[in-house]
Amino acid sequence: MRLSQFFLPLLKETPKEAEIVSHRLMLRSGMVRQQSAGIYSWLPLGKRVLDKVCNIIREEQNRAGANEILMPTIQSADLWRESGRYEDYGKEMLRIEDRHKREMLFGPTNEEMVTEIFRSYVNSYKALPLNLYHIQWKFRDEVRPRFGVMRSREFLMKDAYSFDLDEAGARASYNRMFVSYLRTFERMGLKAIPMRADTGPIGGDLSHEFIILADTGESQVFCDKSYLEMTAPSADLNYRDDAAMAAIVQDFTTPYAATDEMHDEDAWNKVGSSSQLSARGIEVGHIFYFGTKYSEAMKAKVMGPDGKEHFVHSGSYGIGPSRLVAAIIEASHDDDGIRWPKGIAPFDIGLVNMKPGDAAVDAACEKIYAALEGAGKEVLYDETDNRAGAKFATMDLIGLPMQIIAGPRSIAEGQVELKNRLDGSRVTVTIDEAINQLSAS
Ligand code: P5A
Protein backbone atom coordinates (compact mmCIF):
# COMPACT_ATOMS: atom_id res chain seq x y z
CA MET A 1 0.00 0.00 0.00
CA ARG A 2 1.29 3.43 -0.93
CA LEU A 3 0.91 5.95 1.87
CA SER A 4 -0.41 8.54 -0.60
CA GLN A 5 -3.40 6.24 -1.20
CA PHE A 6 -3.86 5.12 2.39
CA PHE A 7 -6.42 6.89 4.57
CA LEU A 8 -4.38 7.58 7.70
CA PRO A 9 -5.95 10.55 9.50
CA LEU A 10 -3.31 11.24 12.17
CA LEU A 11 -4.08 13.67 14.98
CA LYS A 12 -1.41 16.23 15.87
CA GLU A 13 -2.77 17.00 19.31
CA THR A 14 -3.20 14.41 22.02
CA PRO A 15 -6.96 14.12 22.54
CA LYS A 16 -7.88 15.40 26.00
CA GLU A 17 -10.71 12.91 26.55
CA ALA A 18 -8.38 9.90 26.31
CA GLU A 19 -7.31 8.80 29.79
CA ILE A 20 -5.14 5.80 28.96
CA VAL A 21 -2.25 5.38 26.55
CA SER A 22 -3.94 2.87 24.21
CA HIS A 23 -6.91 5.19 23.71
CA ARG A 24 -4.60 8.15 23.04
CA LEU A 25 -2.47 6.20 20.56
CA MET A 26 -5.48 4.71 18.76
CA LEU A 27 -6.95 8.19 18.24
CA ARG A 28 -3.62 9.81 17.33
CA SER A 29 -2.74 7.11 14.80
CA GLY A 30 -6.18 7.29 13.17
CA MET A 31 -7.20 3.73 14.04
CA VAL A 32 -10.67 4.53 15.35
CA ARG A 33 -13.16 7.36 15.39
CA GLN A 34 -15.72 7.83 18.14
CA GLN A 35 -19.26 8.16 16.72
CA SER A 36 -21.24 8.30 19.99
CA ALA A 37 -20.39 7.46 23.58
CA GLY A 38 -18.80 3.99 23.50
CA ILE A 39 -19.43 3.50 19.76
CA TYR A 40 -16.55 3.57 17.27
CA SER A 41 -15.79 3.36 13.57
CA TRP A 42 -12.69 1.39 12.68
CA LEU A 43 -10.53 3.26 10.17
CA PRO A 44 -8.12 1.46 7.80
CA LEU A 45 -5.15 1.14 10.17
CA GLY A 46 -7.35 -0.09 13.02
CA LYS A 47 -9.39 -2.37 10.78
CA ARG A 48 -6.24 -4.12 9.57
CA VAL A 49 -5.18 -4.82 13.17
CA LEU A 50 -8.66 -5.95 14.19
CA ASP A 51 -8.70 -8.39 11.25
CA LYS A 52 -5.31 -9.81 12.28
CA VAL A 53 -6.55 -10.34 15.83
CA CYS A 54 -9.73 -12.03 14.56
CA ASN A 55 -7.77 -14.29 12.24
CA ILE A 56 -5.53 -15.58 15.02
CA ILE A 57 -8.62 -16.25 17.14
CA ARG A 58 -10.33 -17.99 14.21
CA GLU A 59 -7.33 -20.21 13.44
CA GLU A 60 -7.05 -21.32 17.05
CA GLN A 61 -10.80 -21.91 17.43
CA ASN A 62 -10.82 -24.01 14.26
CA ARG A 63 -7.74 -25.93 15.41
CA ALA A 64 -9.59 -26.78 18.62
CA GLY A 65 -12.50 -28.19 16.59
CA ALA A 66 -14.99 -25.31 16.82
CA ASN A 67 -17.24 -24.44 13.82
CA GLU A 68 -17.59 -20.85 12.67
CA ILE A 69 -21.10 -19.53 12.03
CA LEU A 70 -22.53 -16.01 11.96
CA MET A 71 -25.59 -15.14 13.99
CA PRO A 72 -27.39 -11.78 13.66
CA THR A 73 -26.89 -8.81 15.94
CA ILE A 74 -30.66 -8.30 16.35
CA GLN A 75 -32.55 -10.90 18.36
CA SER A 76 -36.14 -11.46 19.37
CA ALA A 77 -37.21 -10.75 22.94
CA ASP A 78 -39.26 -13.98 22.93
CA LEU A 79 -36.09 -16.04 22.74
CA TRP A 80 -34.81 -14.33 25.87
CA ARG A 81 -38.14 -14.81 27.63
CA GLU A 82 -37.65 -18.56 27.22
CA SER A 83 -34.46 -18.48 29.29
CA GLY A 84 -35.86 -15.91 31.70
CA ARG A 85 -33.04 -13.48 31.00
CA TYR A 86 -35.14 -10.85 29.19
CA GLU A 87 -36.19 -9.26 32.48
CA ASP A 88 -32.97 -10.13 34.37
CA TYR A 89 -30.58 -8.44 31.99
CA GLY A 90 -31.75 -4.98 32.98
CA LYS A 91 -30.64 -1.70 31.48
CA GLU A 92 -27.49 -3.07 29.84
CA MET A 93 -29.71 -4.55 27.14
CA LEU A 94 -30.63 -2.26 24.27
CA ARG A 95 -34.29 -2.97 23.59
CA ILE A 96 -35.81 -2.16 20.20
CA GLU A 97 -39.36 -2.19 18.87
CA ASP A 98 -39.83 -2.90 15.15
CA ARG A 99 -42.57 -1.40 12.91
CA HIS A 100 -44.92 -4.28 13.79
CA LYS A 101 -44.42 -3.49 17.46
CA ARG A 102 -42.47 -6.68 17.97
CA GLU A 103 -39.95 -6.53 20.78
CA MET A 104 -36.40 -7.00 19.59
CA LEU A 105 -32.99 -6.36 21.11
CA PHE A 106 -29.40 -5.81 20.07
CA GLY A 107 -27.64 -8.96 21.32
CA PRO A 108 -25.32 -8.57 24.32
CA THR A 109 -24.41 -12.31 23.99
CA ASN A 110 -25.88 -15.35 22.17
CA GLU A 111 -26.51 -18.26 24.58
CA GLU A 112 -30.24 -18.28 23.78
CA MET A 113 -29.91 -17.98 20.01
CA VAL A 114 -27.30 -20.69 19.68
CA THR A 115 -29.38 -23.00 21.89
CA GLU A 116 -32.32 -22.38 19.55
CA ILE A 117 -30.15 -23.37 16.57
CA PHE A 118 -28.87 -26.44 18.38
CA ARG A 119 -32.29 -27.74 19.41
CA SER A 120 -33.64 -27.27 15.87
CA TYR A 121 -31.10 -29.61 14.30
CA VAL A 122 -29.46 -31.89 16.85
CA ASN A 123 -31.30 -34.71 18.57
CA SER A 124 -28.71 -37.43 19.10
CA TYR A 125 -25.62 -37.76 21.26
CA LYS A 126 -23.84 -38.97 18.09
CA ALA A 127 -23.52 -35.35 16.89
CA LEU A 128 -21.71 -34.39 20.11
CA PRO A 129 -19.47 -32.83 21.18
CA LEU A 130 -20.36 -29.75 19.16
CA ASN A 131 -18.89 -26.27 19.42
CA LEU A 132 -20.31 -23.35 17.41
CA TYR A 133 -18.75 -19.89 17.45
CA HIS A 134 -19.03 -16.58 15.73
CA ILE A 135 -17.26 -13.23 15.70
CA GLN A 136 -19.97 -10.61 15.83
CA TRP A 137 -20.73 -7.15 17.21
CA LYS A 138 -22.42 -7.00 20.59
CA PHE A 139 -24.10 -4.12 22.37
CA ARG A 140 -24.15 -3.56 26.12
CA ASP A 141 -25.41 -0.25 27.36
CA GLU A 142 -22.60 0.10 29.89
CA VAL A 143 -23.16 2.78 32.53
CA ARG A 144 -19.62 4.02 32.09
CA PRO A 145 -18.18 3.29 28.65
CA ARG A 146 -14.56 4.42 28.90
CA PHE A 147 -11.01 3.98 27.72
CA GLY A 148 -12.06 3.90 24.06
CA VAL A 149 -12.59 0.41 22.67
CA MET A 150 -11.41 -1.11 25.95
CA ARG A 151 -14.85 -0.72 27.53
CA SER A 152 -17.22 0.33 24.80
CA ARG A 153 -20.96 -0.12 24.32
CA GLU A 154 -20.69 -1.66 20.87
CA PHE A 155 -17.81 -4.13 20.77
CA LEU A 156 -16.68 -7.16 18.86
CA MET A 157 -16.83 -10.54 20.58
CA LYS A 158 -15.76 -14.01 19.60
CA ASP A 159 -18.28 -16.17 21.40
CA ALA A 160 -18.19 -19.96 21.25
CA TYR A 161 -20.77 -22.34 22.69
CA SER A 162 -20.20 -26.02 23.46
CA PHE A 163 -22.78 -28.82 23.67
CA ASP A 164 -22.13 -32.18 25.33
CA LEU A 165 -24.11 -35.15 26.56
CA ASP A 166 -22.92 -34.92 30.15
CA GLU A 167 -20.78 -33.00 32.59
CA ALA A 168 -17.61 -35.00 31.88
CA GLY A 169 -17.94 -34.22 28.17
CA ALA A 170 -18.65 -30.56 28.88
CA ARG A 171 -15.55 -30.29 31.07
CA ALA A 172 -13.47 -31.75 28.24
CA SER A 173 -14.95 -29.11 25.90
CA TYR A 174 -14.17 -26.43 28.50
CA ASN A 175 -10.58 -27.66 28.66
CA ARG A 176 -10.17 -27.53 24.88
CA MET A 177 -11.27 -23.89 24.84
CA PHE A 178 -9.05 -23.12 27.83
CA VAL A 179 -6.01 -24.50 25.97
CA SER A 180 -6.91 -22.76 22.72
CA TYR A 181 -7.08 -19.46 24.66
CA LEU A 182 -3.54 -20.00 25.98
CA ARG A 183 -2.31 -20.38 22.41
CA THR A 184 -4.43 -17.50 21.05
CA PHE A 185 -3.10 -14.90 23.49
CA GLU A 186 0.48 -16.11 23.26
CA ARG A 187 0.36 -15.71 19.47
CA MET A 188 -0.60 -12.07 20.06
CA GLY A 189 2.51 -11.56 22.17
CA LEU A 190 0.46 -11.41 25.38
CA LYS A 191 0.91 -13.15 28.70
CA ALA A 192 -2.72 -13.92 29.65
CA ILE A 193 -3.17 -15.52 33.05
CA PRO A 194 -6.25 -17.71 33.65
CA MET A 195 -7.94 -16.72 36.91
CA ARG A 196 -10.88 -18.27 38.76
CA ALA A 197 -13.76 -15.89 38.16
CA ASP A 198 -17.28 -14.92 39.05
CA THR A 199 -19.96 -16.03 36.55
CA GLY A 200 -22.24 -12.94 36.73
CA PRO A 201 -25.27 -12.83 34.41
CA ILE A 202 -24.04 -15.74 32.24
CA GLY A 203 -24.40 -18.16 35.18
CA GLY A 204 -22.82 -21.51 36.06
CA ASP A 205 -20.32 -22.72 38.62
CA LEU A 206 -17.02 -22.91 36.74
CA SER A 207 -15.41 -19.94 35.10
CA HIS A 208 -12.02 -18.46 34.27
CA GLU A 209 -11.09 -14.99 33.17
CA PHE A 210 -7.96 -14.56 31.06
CA ILE A 211 -6.20 -11.48 32.34
CA ILE A 212 -3.21 -9.57 31.05
CA LEU A 213 -1.29 -7.48 33.54
CA ALA A 214 -1.31 -3.73 32.87
CA ASP A 215 -1.23 -0.73 35.21
CA THR A 216 -4.28 0.71 33.48
CA GLY A 217 -6.34 -2.49 33.92
CA GLU A 218 -9.76 -2.20 35.52
CA SER A 219 -9.44 -5.30 37.73
CA GLN A 220 -7.29 -5.83 40.79
CA VAL A 221 -5.71 -9.29 40.51
CA PHE A 222 -3.54 -11.54 42.65
CA CYS A 223 -1.35 -14.30 41.23
CA ASP A 224 1.74 -16.38 41.66
CA LYS A 225 4.77 -15.00 39.80
CA SER A 226 5.40 -18.47 38.33
CA TYR A 227 2.75 -17.64 35.69
CA LEU A 228 5.16 -15.18 34.11
CA GLU A 229 7.46 -18.09 33.17
CA MET A 230 4.78 -20.40 31.77
CA THR A 231 4.39 -20.85 28.00
CA ALA A 232 1.45 -22.11 25.95
CA PRO A 233 1.53 -25.56 24.33
CA SER A 234 2.83 -25.79 20.75
CA ALA A 235 0.58 -26.01 17.67
CA ASP A 236 1.05 -29.77 17.24
CA LEU A 237 -0.93 -30.59 20.37
CA ASN A 238 -3.81 -33.07 20.04
CA TYR A 239 -7.09 -31.43 21.00
CA ARG A 240 -8.86 -34.80 20.89
CA ASP A 241 -6.74 -36.14 23.75
CA ASP A 242 -8.95 -35.27 26.75
CA ALA A 243 -6.35 -36.40 29.30
CA ALA A 244 -3.64 -34.24 27.73
CA MET A 245 -5.99 -31.23 27.71
CA ALA A 246 -6.92 -31.80 31.36
CA ALA A 247 -3.23 -32.00 32.29
CA ILE A 248 -2.49 -28.64 30.65
CA VAL A 249 -5.46 -27.03 32.41
CA GLN A 250 -4.27 -28.55 35.68
CA ASP A 251 -0.80 -27.01 35.19
CA PHE A 252 -2.28 -23.60 34.45
CA THR A 253 -4.74 -23.61 37.33
CA THR A 254 -2.51 -24.95 40.10
CA PRO A 255 -0.56 -21.78 41.03
CA TYR A 256 -2.70 -19.17 42.79
CA ALA A 257 -4.51 -16.68 40.54
CA ALA A 258 -7.71 -14.81 41.33
CA THR A 259 -9.49 -11.59 40.57
CA ASP A 260 -10.59 -9.31 43.39
CA GLU A 261 -14.08 -10.87 43.64
CA MET A 262 -12.72 -14.39 44.05
CA HIS A 263 -9.66 -13.51 46.14
CA ASP A 264 -9.03 -15.77 49.13
CA GLU A 265 -6.64 -14.27 51.73
CA ASP A 266 -5.80 -17.63 53.35
CA ALA A 267 -4.78 -19.25 50.07
CA TRP A 268 -2.90 -16.07 49.12
CA ASN A 269 -0.85 -16.08 52.32
CA LYS A 270 0.31 -19.61 51.51
CA VAL A 271 1.85 -18.39 48.23
CA GLY A 272 4.79 -16.78 50.04
CA SER A 273 5.63 -13.10 49.73
CA SER A 274 8.50 -13.57 47.23
CA SER A 275 6.10 -15.23 44.76
CA GLN A 276 3.13 -12.94 45.30
CA LEU A 277 2.21 -10.64 42.44
CA SER A 278 -0.57 -8.18 43.13
CA ALA A 279 -1.32 -6.04 40.09
CA ARG A 280 -3.91 -4.45 37.84
CA GLY A 281 -5.23 -6.50 34.93
CA ILE A 282 -7.32 -6.35 31.74
CA GLU A 283 -9.84 -9.13 31.10
CA VAL A 284 -9.37 -10.23 27.48
CA GLY A 285 -11.29 -13.51 27.65
CA HIS A 286 -13.83 -15.21 29.86
CA ILE A 287 -15.03 -18.82 29.76
CA PHE A 288 -17.98 -20.44 31.52
CA TYR A 289 -19.38 -23.89 32.19
CA PHE A 290 -23.07 -23.57 33.07
CA GLY A 291 -24.35 -27.13 32.74
CA THR A 292 -28.03 -27.39 31.77
CA LYS A 293 -29.04 -23.82 32.65
CA TYR A 294 -30.14 -22.92 29.09
CA SER A 295 -30.88 -26.42 27.76
CA GLU A 296 -33.46 -27.07 30.49
CA ALA A 297 -35.10 -23.68 30.11
CA MET A 298 -35.16 -23.96 26.32
CA LYS A 299 -35.73 -27.73 26.00
CA ALA A 300 -32.55 -28.62 24.18
CA LYS A 301 -32.41 -32.41 24.50
CA VAL A 302 -30.60 -35.25 22.77
CA MET A 303 -31.14 -38.99 22.77
CA GLY A 304 -28.32 -40.64 24.73
CA PRO A 305 -26.70 -44.05 24.17
CA ASP A 306 -29.05 -45.32 26.92
CA GLY A 307 -32.07 -44.57 24.72
CA LYS A 308 -33.21 -41.76 27.05
CA GLU A 309 -33.45 -38.01 26.47
CA HIS A 310 -30.86 -35.80 28.15
CA PHE A 311 -30.61 -32.05 28.52
CA VAL A 312 -27.27 -31.06 27.00
CA HIS A 313 -24.47 -29.63 29.13
CA SER A 314 -23.05 -26.38 27.81
CA GLY A 315 -20.45 -23.72 28.23
CA SER A 316 -19.72 -20.39 26.57
CA TYR A 317 -16.37 -18.89 25.76
CA GLY A 318 -15.77 -15.22 25.03
CA ILE A 319 -12.88 -13.14 23.74
CA GLY A 320 -13.06 -9.40 23.02
CA PRO A 321 -11.12 -8.73 19.80
CA SER A 322 -11.80 -4.98 19.86
CA ARG A 323 -10.70 -4.75 23.51
CA LEU A 324 -7.65 -6.86 22.62
CA VAL A 325 -6.42 -4.30 20.11
CA ALA A 326 -6.27 -1.74 22.94
CA ALA A 327 -4.84 -4.29 25.40
CA ILE A 328 -2.00 -5.15 23.02
CA ILE A 329 -1.11 -1.45 22.79
CA GLU A 330 -1.18 -1.14 26.60
CA ALA A 331 1.32 -4.01 26.70
CA SER A 332 3.52 -2.80 23.84
CA HIS A 333 4.28 0.89 23.29
CA ASP A 334 6.89 3.53 24.11
CA ASP A 335 7.03 7.32 24.16
CA ASP A 336 7.11 7.45 20.34
CA GLY A 337 4.06 5.29 19.76
CA ILE A 338 2.85 1.74 19.27
CA ARG A 339 5.15 -1.26 18.93
CA TRP A 340 3.04 -3.94 17.25
CA PRO A 341 4.05 -7.53 17.87
CA LYS A 342 4.72 -9.45 14.66
CA GLY A 343 1.54 -11.06 13.38
CA ILE A 344 -0.67 -8.25 14.69
CA ALA A 345 0.94 -5.27 12.96
CA PRO A 346 -1.21 -3.53 10.31
CA PHE A 347 1.72 -3.88 7.88
CA ASP A 348 4.88 -5.96 8.27
CA ILE A 349 7.21 -3.28 6.95
CA GLY A 350 7.31 0.49 6.54
CA LEU A 351 9.38 1.69 3.58
CA VAL A 352 10.47 5.33 3.84
CA ASN A 353 11.56 7.13 0.68
CA MET A 354 13.60 10.07 2.00
CA LYS A 355 13.74 11.89 -1.34
CA PRO A 356 10.80 11.25 -3.63
CA GLY A 357 11.58 12.62 -7.10
CA ASP A 358 15.21 11.47 -6.90
CA ALA A 359 15.38 8.92 -9.72
CA ALA A 360 17.81 6.56 -8.01
CA VAL A 361 15.95 6.55 -4.67
CA ASP A 362 12.58 6.14 -6.38
CA ALA A 363 13.88 3.23 -8.46
CA ALA A 364 15.41 1.50 -5.44
CA CYS A 365 12.23 1.94 -3.40
CA GLU A 366 10.02 0.64 -6.22
CA LYS A 367 12.29 -2.40 -6.52
CA ILE A 368 12.17 -3.10 -2.78
CA TYR A 369 8.41 -2.52 -2.62
CA ALA A 370 7.67 -4.86 -5.54
CA ALA A 371 10.03 -7.57 -4.28
CA LEU A 372 8.65 -7.60 -0.73
CA GLU A 373 5.01 -7.48 -1.83
CA GLY A 374 5.86 -10.29 -4.25
CA ALA A 375 7.23 -12.28 -1.32
CA GLY A 376 3.85 -11.93 0.41
CA LYS A 377 4.85 -9.14 2.82
CA GLU A 378 2.54 -6.25 3.59
CA VAL A 379 4.45 -3.03 3.01
CA LEU A 380 3.38 0.55 3.69
CA TYR A 381 5.43 2.64 1.26
CA ASP A 382 5.83 6.29 2.24
CA GLU A 383 6.47 8.03 -1.09
CA THR A 384 4.89 11.31 0.06
CA ASP A 385 6.81 14.57 0.12
CA ASN A 386 6.37 15.11 3.85
CA ARG A 387 9.39 16.26 5.88
CA ALA A 388 11.84 13.52 6.89
CA GLY A 389 11.20 14.12 10.60
CA ALA A 390 7.44 13.76 10.11
CA LYS A 391 7.92 10.56 8.15
CA PHE A 392 9.99 9.00 10.92
CA ALA A 393 7.55 10.13 13.59
CA THR A 394 4.62 8.63 11.66
CA MET A 395 6.37 5.29 11.24
CA ASP A 396 7.22 5.19 14.94
CA LEU A 397 3.70 6.21 15.94
CA ILE A 398 1.96 3.53 13.88
CA GLY A 399 4.48 0.99 15.13
CA LEU A 400 5.28 -1.27 12.16
CA PRO A 401 7.84 -3.84 13.39
CA MET A 402 10.43 -3.09 10.69
CA GLN A 403 11.29 0.09 8.82
CA ILE A 404 13.42 0.42 5.69
CA ILE A 405 14.91 3.88 5.25
CA ALA A 406 16.16 4.79 1.79
CA GLY A 407 17.93 8.13 1.29
CA PRO A 408 20.08 9.46 -1.60
CA ARG A 409 23.41 8.95 0.17
CA SER A 410 22.83 5.32 1.15
CA ILE A 411 21.21 4.46 -2.18
CA ALA A 412 24.26 5.87 -4.01
CA GLU A 413 26.20 3.13 -2.22
CA GLY A 414 23.52 0.53 -2.95
CA GLN A 415 22.44 0.46 0.69
CA VAL A 416 19.43 1.10 2.95
CA GLU A 417 19.00 1.32 6.68
CA LEU A 418 16.82 -1.22 8.53
CA LYS A 419 15.29 -0.10 11.81
CA ASN A 420 13.71 -2.59 14.15
CA ARG A 421 10.84 -0.84 15.95
CA LEU A 422 10.65 -3.50 18.66
CA ASP A 423 14.24 -3.31 19.95
CA GLY A 424 15.32 0.00 18.38
CA SER A 425 18.33 -1.55 16.61
CA ARG A 426 19.52 -0.17 13.26
CA VAL A 427 21.72 -1.78 10.62
CA THR A 428 22.86 -0.72 7.17
CA VAL A 429 22.64 -3.43 4.52
CA THR A 430 22.66 -3.67 0.74
CA ILE A 431 19.35 -3.40 -1.08
CA ASP A 432 19.44 -7.09 -1.97
CA GLU A 433 20.26 -8.08 1.59
CA ALA A 434 17.31 -6.02 2.82
CA ILE A 435 15.01 -7.76 0.34
CA ASN A 436 16.31 -11.24 1.16
CA GLN A 437 16.33 -10.74 4.90
CA LEU A 438 12.83 -9.26 5.10
CA SER A 439 11.30 -11.65 2.55
CA ALA A 440 12.41 -14.53 4.74
CA SER A 441 11.43 -13.02 8.11
C1 P5A B 1 -18.98 -15.79 26.96
C2 P5A B 1 -19.25 -15.79 25.50
C3 P5A B 1 -19.85 -13.58 27.82
O1 P5A B 1 -20.59 -12.74 27.36
N1 P5A B 1 -21.22 -15.22 26.67
C4 P5A B 1 -20.71 -15.54 25.35
C5 P5A B 1 -20.12 -15.07 27.59
N2 P5A B 1 -18.74 -13.29 28.51
S1 P5A B 1 -18.24 -11.81 28.90
O2 P5A B 1 -17.17 -11.98 29.85
O3 P5A B 1 -19.30 -10.99 29.34
O4 P5A B 1 -17.65 -11.15 27.60
C6 P5A B 1 -16.65 -11.83 26.85
C7 P5A B 1 -15.50 -10.91 26.50
O5 P5A B 1 -15.97 -9.79 25.76
C8 P5A B 1 -15.17 -8.66 26.02
N3 P5A B 1 -16.02 -7.55 26.50
C9 P5A B 1 -15.89 -6.27 26.11
N4 P5A B 1 -15.05 -5.67 25.25
C10 P5A B 1 -15.17 -4.34 25.07
N5 P5A B 1 -16.10 -3.58 25.70
C11 P5A B 1 -16.98 -4.13 26.55
N6 P5A B 1 -17.89 -3.37 27.14
C12 P5A B 1 -16.89 -5.53 26.80
N7 P5A B 1 -17.59 -6.41 27.58
C13 P5A B 1 -17.06 -7.62 27.39
C14 P5A B 1 -14.16 -9.06 27.08
O6 P5A B 1 -12.94 -9.41 26.45
C15 P5A B 1 -14.80 -10.28 27.70
O7 P5A B 1 -13.84 -11.18 28.24
Side-chain angles (χ1 to χ4, degrees):
M1 174 65 73
R2 289 168 196 272
L3 186 60
S4 61
Q5 290 168 1
F6 190 60
F7 181 56
L8 184 68
L10 303 180
L11 299 186
K12 290 218 173 50
E13 305 295 321
T14 299
K16 281 192 277 311
E17 74 275 19
E19 295 168 62
I20 59 172
V21 67
S22 58
H23 191 194
R24 283 197 288 278
L25 288 172
M26 288 182 81
L27 293 173
R28 277 188 51 211
S29 62
M31 291 177 66
V32 290
R33 164 104 191 138
Q34 184 177 321
Q35 305 292 172
S36 320
I39 300 180
Y40 290 83
S41 288
W42 288 75
L43 306 179
L45 194 73
K47 174 68 166 55
R48 292 179 79 98
V49 177
L50 188 60
D51 285 348
K52 297 265 163 93
V53 166
C54 289
N55 279 335
I56 291 177
I57 295 172
R58 186 174 277 125
E59 282 174 22
E60 294 301 330
Q61 290 289 290
N62 294 348
R63 198 196 298 280
N67 295 246
E68 185 167 10
I69 60 174
L70 184 56
M71 292 178 270
T73 53
I74 306 296
Q75 307 187 20
S76 131
D78 287 342
L79 201 53
W80 284 67
R81 290 205 173 90
E82 284 192 47
S83 70
R85 282 207 294 181
Y86 188 62
E87 309 307 332
D88 294 353
Y89 223 92
K91 290 199 164 167
E92 284 218 339
M93 181 184 274
L94 181 64
R95 294 154 207 261
I96 305 163
E97 193 178 80
D98 74 9
R99 69 200 300 167
H100 305 293
K101 302 228 172 294
R102 278 190 288 252
E103 290 171 282
M104 313 294 284
L105 57 101
F106 195 123
T109 176
N110 284 62
E111 279 80 4
E112 285 78 359
M113 187 172 279
V114 78
T115 303
E116 192 283 327
I117 294 174
F118 178 88
R119 75 178 173 195
S120 307
Y121 296 103
V122 182
N123 49 31
S124 162
Y125 75 96
K126 290 183 184 154
L128 305 183
L130 181 66
N131 184 318
L132 302 175
Y133 78 96
H134 72 163
I135 301 177
Q136 178 61 291
W137 294 95
K138 304 289 186 287
F139 193 92
R140 292 182 185 171
D141 205 351
E142 302 265 351
V143 196
R144 270 213 315 153
R146 58 187 189 145
F147 302 155
V149 296
M150 189 77 90
R151 177 166 297 283
S152 48
R153 295 199 297 164
E154 191 183 49
F155 60 96
L156 199 54
M157 194 195 288
K158 182 289 297 179
D159 36 329
Y161 303 87
S162 67
F163 301 92
D164 282 273
L165 178 64
D166 53 24
E167 178 171 348
R171 286 188 185 262
S173 290
Y174 185 92
N175 290 346
R176 279 192 288 279
M177 284 291 109
F178 187 111
V179 173
S180 94
Y181 277 33
L182 295 175
R183 284 193 43 77
T184 301
F185 297 125
E186 186 155 296
R187 281 186 62 187
M188 295 176 190
L190 297 173
K191 178 105 350 217
I193 303 171
M195 304 201 181
R196 254 331 250 266
D198 203 13
T199 56
I202 306 293
D205 59 9
L206 173 63
S207 172
H208 286 91
E209 281 180 19
F210 286 75
I211 303 259
I212 66 161
L213 304 180
D215 293 341
T216 48
E218 291 185 285
S219 326
Q220 178 63 41
V221 300
F222 304 86
C223 69
D224 194 308
K225 281 185 186 154
S226 60
Y227 276 109
L228 303 178
E229 310 304 323
M230 294 170 79
T231 51
S234 60
D236 58 5
L237 82 177
N238 179 3
Y239 275 101
R240 282 170 301 172
D241 182 343
D242 289 351
M245 294 297 116
I248 297 168
V249 172
Q250 179 73 37
D251 281 351
F252 276 86
T253 50
T254 301
Y256 186 85
T259 58
D260 217 3
E261 305 96 62
M262 303 296 278
H263 187 47
D264 170 354
E265 277 295 333
D266 290 341
W268 180 236
N269 291 334
K270 292 195 189 110
V271 172
S273 56
S274 63
S275 301
Q276 285 178 340
L277 182 59
S278 144
R280 306 294 295 175
I282 302 169
E283 178 206 314
V284 288
H286 197 163
I287 62 177
F288 303 81
Y289 164 64
F290 43 71
T292 56
K293 173 175 170 173
Y294 299 94
S295 64
E296 285 196 37
M298 298 182 65
K299 313 266 175 300
K301 288 185 274 195
V302 294
M303 193 63 79
D306 54 4
K308 294 187 184 137
E309 287 194 315
H310 299 255
F311 288 117
V312 286
H313 285 248
S314 288
S316 68
Y317 314 91
I319 294 184
S322 46
R323 172 178 292 180
L324 264 169
V325 173
I328 293 167
I329 298 175
E330 289 294 327
S332 187
H333 65 269
D334 62 15
D335 289 347
D336 298 324
I338 305 168
R339 296 199 295 190
W340 292 114
K342 259 175 94 172
I344 297 290
F347 296 90
D348 304 309
I349 299 157
L351 170 60
V352 183
N353 182 333
M354 300 288 292
K355 199 162 187 208
D358 176 306
V361 181
D362 287 349
C365 285
E366 290 296 338
K367 175 179 165 182
I368 295 169
Y369 181 56
L372 291 175
E373 289 265 320
K377 298 289 160 189
E378 292 172 322
V379 183
L380 183 63
Y381 173 25
D382 184 351
E383 24 63 294
T384 65
D385 49 19
N386 293 336
R387 285 182 305 108
K391 290 187 174 204
F392 292 142
T394 297
M395 282 297 171
D396 283 351
L397 174 65
I398 68 173
L400 311 184
M402 189 57 83
Q403 298 170 16
I404 307 174
I405 299 151
R409 248 175 296 158
S410 60
I411 291 297
E413 291 168 21
Q415 294 179 324
V416 289
E417 189 180 22
L418 300 186
K419 176 178 164 188
N420 183 321
R421 179 71 179 90
L422 295 175
D423 63 18
S425 64
R426 291 163 181 268
V427 283
T428 301
V429 296
T430 66
I431 293 171
D432 287 337
E433 273 166 6
I435 292 172
N436 292 336
Q437 200 177 314
L438 296 181
S439 298
S441 67

